[in-house]
Amino acid sequence: MATGVGLLAPTINWAQQLKNNGLDDRQIIMEEVGTFERSPKYHWMITGERYYLGDNEAIARKQKYKYDAKEQRVVDEDAINNKLVHSFMHNLVDDKVAYLLAKEPTIKCDNEAYIELIRETLGQPFFEQRLETLCEEASNKGIGWLYVYINEQGEFKTLVFPAQQIVPIWSDDDHTQLQAVIRTYEQTEYIGSRKENIKRVDLYTFDGVYHYDLRGGALAANTNYKDFPTPYLKRGKSGAPTSWGTIPFIAVKNNSYEYPDIKFVKSLIDDYDDKRSENSNFLDVARRLVWVLKGYGEEDLHKLAGKIAHYNAINVDDATEGGVEAISPSIDLGGYDTHFAQLKRDILEFGQGVNKNLDDIGTAPSGVALKFLYSGLDLKCNKLEKSLKTAFRKLLEFVDTYLSLTGKAVPKEPVEIIFNRSVMVNESEAIQNVAASTAIISRKTAISHHPWVQDAEQEMSDMAEEQEDEEQRLYNKAPVTNNAQQE
């Protein structure tokens, strides 16, 4: 089988293979956690989150150096060292998530009652919060993890765990089936009157959850839980423990390699931050005039600088030999500007973002131009959307199990989730196209493609109601004929 970092053979049970090497269960867990936290994927998860939050690590570490009297290289604390952070990843990820999820997804099924059951079970927070958080996790960390559980009130619930906490144990090299999941995290507890951070390690298996504490480098059972393992579900009034029959984690992958968006543009962003910071340093230095003093001998420079700052003038005793001259460095930013512009284009191109520069796209781009402008974002969203649809199908298996446990009938009908992307259109052009097509397409199709219409069915119903009211108004205004009076 394959672990979360792809080390073990796909045909052998992960625990059994390590037991064959003389390791017990707890050693196996620690081995898997250590391997995962040393892996490149874990590194990229941390990096992706930092860059999304505007904590660009390369520029944050940047230092200025000088050589001291002993010719030793030391940090120059007095040097101008601006650190300009440009949150490209925040914009790129937010654009991607909003493009895919700004409009609520549509659940499509011939059985309307089943759709209502699904929506009622998942709850509105799933569509308003969970999906967005999942997409952010996948975009920033390469993979997002949705956990399914039933709370103490018997309600179906979902949570999104940070991806860097999750060590998946896969059954296959395609990473489609889970054998187990290990979660590592910290919790704060009071030990007597003292507050202490405790490292928790939970092992999720088909039977339930094994809860551990990490103390002194070794795992010990978490005594806060009565059962070991803790069951996922309890059936009936007796509360007999039972299981989902599978691991209650669902993966949403950013791409087939499970790498975050930052991996493809990090070096470009780092260079942009670096060069913009250096440019800012240069401008700060350029504001400082260099004073050339003639005939002042050994006069204290600090005292002289104070005179210039206070009086904005100094006395010159010897007009022939003495004097003061200010030199200002010349500034040529043409090369910088060209480099910045190209870097920004590269970040948007390889980050598959959208160029919002009106100088490049104009104030009213055509429909064709908009499609071209959003082509990169579309390609990026296509991969994430496929993974979201796969995840939704797996989520429905848990929903159906929950409905069965609560005594509700589960219809065996196909269900599809449709993501309604926030596609930008040239409204004037779209309205003209709709008007020009009314003779060759149905009224419903024309209305559904009008940029001002959100719900075609509701719009047609409103139009029919307005037409009815107008006909009634005209009928009421019509003059009464003699025949009608005689009747």
Side-chain angles (χ1 to χ4, degrees):
M1 60 62 51
T3 68
V5 290
L7 292 181
L8 303 182
T11 55
I12 303 176
N13 178 279
W14 74 285
Q16 188 59 50
Q17 187 180 53
L18 291 179
K19 283 181 179 179
N20 292 342
N21 294 328
L23 300 178
D24 63 27
D25 291 343
R26 300 181 187 189
Q27 288 174 315
I28 292 170
I29 293 170
M30 293 306 298
E31 178 69 21
E32 291 292 338
V33 171
T35 303
F36 173 70
E37 291 183 352
R38 292 189 300 269
S39 69
K41 285 187 177 178
Y42 181 82
H43 161 76
W44 282 113
M45 287 177 182
I46 303 303
T47 302
E49 183 173 60
R50 290 186 66 173
Y51 275 67
Y52 178 74
L53 296 175
D55 184 16
N56 299 7
E57 58 182 351
I59 194 65
R61 293 196 309 264
K62 187 176 180 180
Q63 298 286 358
K64 292 287 187 179
Y65 296 92
K66 66 180 180 180
Y67 288 90
D68 61 14
K70 297 180 181 180
E71 295 300 316
Q72 297 294 318
R73 188 169 179 260
V74 295
V75 175
D76 187 352
E77 301 289 353
D78 297 321
I80 295 174
N81 186 20
N82 294 316
K83 298 179 180 181
L84 306 185
V85 173
H86 300 83
S87 299
F88 283 105
M89 286 313 304
H90 193 90
N91 289 343
L92 286 170
V93 171
D94 281 1
D95 282 352
K96 175 183 177 180
V97 174
Y99 183 63
L100 193 58
L101 295 175
K103 297 179 181 178
E104 185 171 311
T106 302
I107 299 177
K108 187 178 179 182
C109 179
D110 292 336
N111 189 328
E112 290 291 335
Y114 187 30
I115 292 177
E116 287 304 311
L117 269 178
I118 293 171
R119 286 194 169 276
E120 181 183 330
T121 302
L122 292 177
Q124 196 58 28
F126 174 80
F127 296 97
E128 293 178 352
Q129 300 169 9
R130 297 287 184 269
L131 282 176
E132 183 175 320
T133 305
L134 266 175
C135 287
E136 288 176 355
E137 280 283 305
S139 300
N140 290 323
K141 302 173 187 177
I143 192 168
W145 288 103
L146 184 72
Y147 177 62
V148 179
Y149 70 103
I150 295 176
N151 67 9
E152 293 180 354
Q153 289 73 42
E155 300 169 323
F156 186 95
K157 294 292 180 180
T158 58
L159 276 177
V160 177
F161 286 136
Q164 66 270 26
Q165 295 181 358
I166 304 301
V167 184
I169 311 298
W170 298 103
S171 298
D172 59 334
D173 286 333
D174 290 334
H175 291 188
T176 59
Q177 297 293 329
L178 288 166
Q179 281 195 43
V181 163
I182 303 168
R183 180 183 174 224
T184 65
Y185 56 101
E186 285 192 356
Q187 278 188 334
T188 302
E189 280 193 0
Y190 279 93
I191 309 299
S193 60
R194 179 170 49 87
K195 189 162 65 172
E196 184 179 326
N197 288 331
I198 300 174
K199 182 76 173 283
R200 309 284 196 199
V201 180
D202 297 339
L203 173 64
Y204 295 80
T205 68
F206 286 90
D207 302 324
V209 189
Y210 295 83
H211 297 279
Y212 297 96
D213 291 343
L214 181 60
R215 297 178 184 275
L219 291 179
N222 185 340
T223 55
N224 293 331
Y225 296 88
K226 295 186 299 182
D227 301 316
F228 196 77
T230 303
Y232 296 119
L233 311 170
K234 292 186 178 179
R235 186 189 296 274
K237 294 181 180 178
S238 64
T242 185
S243 169
W244 289 108
T246 186
I247 309 298
F249 279 83
I250 301 171
V252 173
K253 302 176 183 179
N254 192 42
N255 48 56
S256 59
Y257 293 97
E258 299 170 18
Y259 274 113
D261 292 343
I262 183 61
K263 187 177 191 301
F264 310 102
V265 291
K266 180 180 181 297
S267 62
L268 297 171
I269 294 174
D270 287 345
D271 192 48
Y272 194 92
D273 284 347
D274 179 64
K275 297 302 185 293
R276 287 298 292 261
S277 298
E278 285 298 325
N279 188 36
S280 178
N281 292 342
F282 180 73
L283 291 173
D284 280 350
V285 170
R287 290 189 307 173
R288 299 183 178 182
L289 298 176
V290 177
W291 298 95
V292 180
L293 308 177
K294 300 177 182 179
Y296 275 78
E298 299 299 324
E299 181 168 346
D300 186 283
L301 292 178
H302 182 74
K303 186 176 180 181
L304 179 63
K307 288 181 180 179
I308 296 173
H310 184 74
Y311 297 107
N312 202 27
I314 58 175
N315 296 322
V316 177
D317 297 328
D318 189 341
T320 304
E321 299 295 333
V324 178
E325 180 183 354
I327 299 177
S328 177
S330 61
I331 304 175
D332 181 11
L333 300 180
Y336 274 109
D337 290 341
T338 302
H339 185 59
F340 295 150
Q342 184 58 51
L343 270 178
K344 199 169 186 178
R345 286 193 293 268
D346 289 344
I347 291 168
L348 290 174
E349 179 177 352
F350 298 110
Q352 294 178 295
V354 178
N355 183 1
K356 304 181 182 72
N357 190 340
L358 295 180
D359 292 336
D360 294 338
I361 64 175
T363 55
S366 67
V368 175
L370 283 170
K371 284 184 178 180
F372 178 77
L373 198 64
Y374 278 77
S375 59
L377 185 56
D378 265 322
L379 288 172
K380 187 164 60 170
C381 286
N382 286 344
K383 296 178 182 179
L384 184 56
E385 183 177 322
K386 286 179 181 178
S387 186
L388 281 168
K389 288 186 174 182
T390 301
F392 188 76
R393 287 193 294 271
K394 290 183 179 179
L395 179 61
L396 285 183
E397 295 175 10
F398 289 98
V399 170
D400 289 348
T401 300
Y402 172 76
L403 293 175
S404 297
L405 288 172
T406 53
K408 295 184 175 66
V410 180
K412 299 296 182 183
E413 296 189 37
V415 179
E416 181 184 4
I417 187 169
I418 299 170
F419 293 93
N420 304 304
R421 300 186 183 185
S422 300
V423 181
M424 298 295 293
V425 297
N426 183 313
E427 288 192 352
S428 299
E429 185 179 299
I431 292 170
Q432 290 174 7
N433 291 338
V434 168
S437 303
T438 52
I440 57 174
I441 60 175
S442 70
R443 186 161 166 259
K444 182 178 180 180
T445 300
I447 290 173
S448 66
H449 283 81
H450 196 290
W452 296 349
V453 175
Q454 301 295 324
D455 186 332
E457 295 285 353
Q458 184 62 45
E459 186 66 25
M460 290 182 69
S461 174
D462 292 344
M463 290 175 68
E465 187 177 333
E466 284 183 2
Q467 185 175 352
E468 218 174 281
D469 291 344
E470 180 64 14
E471 288 175 353
Q472 185 64 44
R473 187 182 66 80
L474 292 174
Y475 177 80
N476 293 338
K477 289 181 64 177
V480 179
T481 62
N482 291 333
N483 292 337
Q485 288 176 349
Q486 291 173 0
E487 292 175 2

